[in-house]
Amino acid sequence: MKSLHVLLAMTVLVGVALAGTFSSGLEEDTYLDADSPDDTFAGEDTLWASSAGAEQTRVAFLGFKNNFGNVGLMSPSDVQSATMTLTVTEVESPGEIKAYVFHGATLPTLTWNDQEKYEPEPEVSFEVEETGEIQIDATELVRKAVDICTEGCPFSIVLVAEDDVSVGFASMESSEAQAVLKYTV
Protein backbone atom coordinates (compact mmCIF):
# COMPACT_ATOMS: atom_id res chain seq x y z
CA MET A 1 0.00 0.00 0.00
CA LYS A 2 2.84 2.35 0.89
CA SER A 3 4.50 1.79 -2.52
CA LEU A 4 1.19 2.61 -4.22
CA HIS A 5 1.10 5.99 -2.42
CA VAL A 6 4.71 6.67 -3.43
CA LEU A 7 3.94 5.78 -7.05
CA LEU A 8 0.87 8.01 -7.02
CA ALA A 9 2.85 10.91 -5.51
CA MET A 10 5.60 10.52 -8.15
CA THR A 11 3.02 10.52 -10.93
CA VAL A 12 1.51 13.74 -9.60
CA LEU A 13 4.98 15.34 -9.32
CA VAL A 14 5.87 14.40 -12.89
CA GLY A 15 2.57 15.89 -14.07
CA VAL A 16 3.32 19.09 -12.17
CA ALA A 17 6.84 19.25 -13.63
CA LEU A 18 5.40 19.14 -17.12
CA ALA A 19 2.83 21.87 -16.58
CA GLY A 20 3.81 25.45 -17.21
CA THR A 21 5.27 27.93 -19.66
CA PHE A 22 8.96 27.75 -20.45
CA SER A 23 11.26 29.78 -22.66
CA SER A 24 14.33 29.10 -24.74
CA GLY A 25 16.72 31.93 -25.44
CA LEU A 26 19.22 32.19 -28.24
CA GLU A 27 22.58 30.45 -28.09
CA GLU A 28 23.75 31.78 -31.46
CA ASP A 29 22.32 33.57 -34.47
CA THR A 30 23.51 34.56 -37.91
CA TYR A 31 22.38 35.15 -41.44
CA LEU A 32 23.74 33.80 -44.71
CA ASP A 33 24.19 35.90 -47.85
CA ALA A 34 24.21 34.47 -51.39
CA ASP A 35 26.22 37.50 -52.59
CA SER A 36 28.94 36.72 -50.00
CA PRO A 37 28.84 32.91 -50.00
CA ASP A 38 32.06 32.40 -48.02
CA ASP A 39 31.44 35.05 -45.36
CA THR A 40 29.85 34.70 -41.94
CA PHE A 41 27.58 37.31 -40.35
CA ALA A 42 27.25 35.95 -36.82
CA GLY A 43 28.43 39.17 -35.16
CA GLU A 44 26.07 41.56 -36.93
CA ASP A 45 23.35 43.59 -35.19
CA THR A 46 20.77 42.69 -37.84
CA LEU A 47 19.74 39.27 -39.14
CA TRP A 48 18.46 39.48 -42.70
CA ALA A 49 15.88 37.40 -44.51
CA SER A 50 15.67 38.53 -48.14
CA SER A 51 14.66 37.27 -51.54
CA ALA A 52 14.73 38.39 -55.14
CA GLY A 53 11.72 36.92 -56.87
CA ALA A 54 11.57 33.25 -55.95
CA GLU A 55 15.27 33.08 -55.01
CA GLN A 56 16.42 33.49 -51.42
CA THR A 57 19.37 35.88 -51.16
CA ARG A 58 19.76 36.09 -47.35
CA VAL A 59 18.53 33.56 -44.79
CA ALA A 60 18.51 34.01 -40.98
CA PHE A 61 19.34 31.18 -38.55
CA LEU A 62 18.28 31.35 -34.88
CA GLY A 63 19.92 28.71 -32.66
CA PHE A 64 17.83 28.22 -29.51
CA LYS A 65 18.80 26.54 -26.23
CA ASN A 66 17.26 23.10 -26.04
CA ASN A 67 15.84 22.72 -22.53
CA PHE A 68 13.05 20.29 -23.45
CA GLY A 69 14.49 17.42 -21.39
CA ASN A 70 15.12 19.69 -18.40
CA VAL A 71 11.41 20.52 -18.15
CA GLY A 72 10.26 16.94 -18.83
CA LEU A 73 9.06 17.61 -22.37
CA MET A 74 9.45 14.33 -24.24
CA SER A 75 6.58 14.23 -26.74
CA PRO A 76 5.41 16.71 -29.40
CA SER A 77 1.83 16.15 -28.24
CA ASP A 78 2.74 17.64 -24.83
CA VAL A 79 3.23 21.07 -26.42
CA GLN A 80 -0.04 22.98 -25.98
CA SER A 81 1.13 26.19 -27.62
CA ALA A 82 4.26 28.13 -28.49
CA THR A 83 5.17 31.64 -29.59
CA MET A 84 8.32 33.09 -31.04
CA THR A 85 8.87 36.77 -30.38
CA LEU A 86 11.03 38.65 -32.87
CA THR A 87 11.99 42.29 -33.12
CA VAL A 88 11.87 43.66 -36.65
CA THR A 89 14.50 46.39 -36.91
CA GLU A 90 14.41 47.16 -40.64
CA VAL A 91 11.95 46.66 -43.48
CA GLU A 92 13.47 47.29 -46.90
CA SER A 93 10.61 45.51 -48.63
CA PRO A 94 7.62 44.15 -46.62
CA GLY A 95 5.97 40.80 -47.13
CA GLU A 96 5.90 37.13 -46.20
CA ILE A 97 8.51 35.34 -44.12
CA LYS A 98 8.46 31.59 -43.57
CA ALA A 99 9.98 29.84 -40.56
CA TYR A 100 11.34 26.29 -40.57
CA VAL A 101 13.06 23.97 -38.10
CA PHE A 102 16.71 23.04 -38.63
CA HIS A 103 18.00 19.93 -36.85
CA GLY A 104 21.37 21.26 -35.82
CA ALA A 105 23.22 24.08 -34.17
CA THR A 106 23.57 27.54 -35.62
CA LEU A 107 27.31 27.92 -35.80
CA PRO A 108 29.02 31.32 -35.86
CA THR A 109 31.11 30.07 -38.80
CA LEU A 110 28.09 29.11 -40.95
CA THR A 111 28.22 30.46 -44.52
CA TRP A 112 25.97 30.29 -47.57
CA ASN A 113 28.24 27.66 -49.14
CA ASP A 114 28.14 25.26 -46.20
CA GLN A 115 24.53 25.63 -45.04
CA GLU A 116 22.59 22.45 -44.54
CA LYS A 117 18.97 21.79 -45.41
CA TYR A 118 16.22 22.62 -42.94
CA GLU A 119 13.07 20.59 -42.40
CA PRO A 120 10.57 21.42 -45.19
CA GLU A 121 7.59 20.75 -42.91
CA PRO A 122 6.12 22.29 -40.92
CA GLU A 123 6.46 25.82 -42.07
CA VAL A 124 5.00 28.83 -40.38
CA SER A 125 4.25 31.92 -42.47
CA PHE A 126 3.88 35.45 -41.20
CA GLU A 127 3.68 38.92 -42.71
CA VAL A 128 6.06 41.73 -41.84
CA GLU A 129 4.91 45.24 -42.72
CA GLU A 130 6.74 47.47 -40.25
CA THR A 131 9.39 47.57 -37.55
CA GLY A 132 8.64 46.55 -33.97
CA GLU A 133 8.06 43.45 -31.92
CA ILE A 134 6.00 40.64 -33.42
CA GLN A 135 4.78 37.32 -32.05
CA ILE A 136 4.42 34.29 -34.25
CA ASP A 137 2.48 31.12 -33.46
CA ALA A 138 5.37 28.64 -33.30
CA THR A 139 3.43 25.67 -31.93
CA GLU A 140 4.10 23.40 -34.92
CA LEU A 141 7.76 24.44 -35.05
CA VAL A 142 8.31 23.55 -31.38
CA ARG A 143 6.44 20.26 -31.81
CA LYS A 144 8.75 19.40 -34.72
CA ALA A 145 11.83 20.43 -32.68
CA VAL A 146 10.70 18.17 -29.81
CA ASP A 147 10.09 15.34 -32.29
CA ILE A 148 13.62 15.50 -33.72
CA CYS A 149 15.50 16.82 -30.71
CA THR A 150 14.12 15.89 -27.30
CA GLU A 151 17.19 15.46 -25.17
CA GLY A 152 19.75 18.17 -25.62
CA CYS A 153 20.54 18.05 -29.32
CA PRO A 154 20.67 21.48 -30.94
CA PHE A 155 17.90 22.93 -33.06
CA SER A 156 17.43 26.19 -34.91
CA ILE A 157 14.65 28.17 -36.53
CA VAL A 158 15.36 29.37 -40.08
CA LEU A 159 13.70 32.54 -41.42
CA VAL A 160 13.24 32.62 -45.20
CA ALA A 161 11.82 35.53 -47.22
CA GLU A 162 9.39 35.04 -50.10
CA ASP A 163 8.89 37.05 -53.32
CA ASP A 164 11.05 40.21 -53.22
CA VAL A 165 10.95 40.68 -49.46
CA SER A 166 13.80 42.04 -47.35
CA VAL A 167 13.43 42.23 -43.57
CA GLY A 168 15.97 42.68 -40.77
CA PHE A 169 15.54 41.19 -37.30
CA ALA A 170 17.38 42.05 -34.07
CA SER A 171 20.31 39.73 -33.38
CA MET A 172 21.92 38.78 -30.09
CA GLU A 173 24.37 41.64 -30.59
CA SER A 174 21.66 44.23 -31.13
CA SER A 175 20.51 46.65 -28.46
CA GLU A 176 16.93 45.68 -29.44
CA ALA A 177 15.20 42.66 -27.88
CA GLN A 178 16.47 39.40 -29.33
CA ALA A 179 14.35 36.41 -30.35
CA VAL A 180 12.69 34.33 -27.62
CA LEU A 181 10.82 31.07 -27.96
CA LYS A 182 8.13 30.33 -25.32
CA TYR A 183 6.11 27.15 -25.07
CA THR A 184 3.37 25.87 -22.79
CA VAL A 185 3.12 22.22 -21.80
Side-chain angles (χ1 to χ4, degrees), residues 60-80:
F61 277 72
L62 308 169
F64 288 97
K65 295 174 186 164
N66 182 342
N67 58 356
F68 300 147
N70 295 346
V71 300
L73 181 54
M74 299 296 174
S75 171
S77 62
D78 292 336
V79 179
Q80 294 176 12

Side-chain angles (χ1 to χ4, degrees), residues 15-38:
V16 170
L18 277 176
T21 299
F22 305 95
S23 61
S24 293
L26 287 173
E27 287 191 309
E28 188 66 61
D29 58 14
T30 191
Y31 75 92
L32 315 179
D33 191 330
D35 291 335
S36 300
D38 295 316

Side-chain angles (χ1 to χ4, degrees), residues 51 66 71 89 102 118 145 148 152 159 184:
S51 60
N66 182 342
V71 300
T89 57
F102 172 63
Y118 43 85
I148 62 176
L159 303 178
T184 301

Side-chain angles (χ1 to χ4, degrees), residues 6 9 13 17 26 57 69-70 72 99 115 121 132 135 162 169 172 184:
V6 170
L13 286 175
L26 287 173
T57 57
N70 295 346
Q115 69 177 304
E121 296 291 330
Q135 287 193 344
E162 297 291 318
F169 300 93
M172 293 173 62
T184 301

Side-chain angles (χ1 to χ4, degrees), residues 59-61 98-105 115-125 140-149 153-160 162:
V59 178
F61 277 72
K98 290 186 178 179
Y100 301 90
V101 175
F102 172 63
H103 183 188
Q115 69 177 304
E116 297 181 38
K117 296 292 181 192
Y118 43 85
E119 299 286 330
E121 296 291 330
E123 70 179 39
V124 172
S125 297
E140 293 306 314
L141 297 173
V142 171
R143 285 178 180 157
K144 181 65 173 183
V146 170
D147 185 45
I148 62 176
C149 241
C153 67
F155 75 95
S156 302
I157 303 291
V158 182
L159 303 178
V160 178
E162 297 291 318

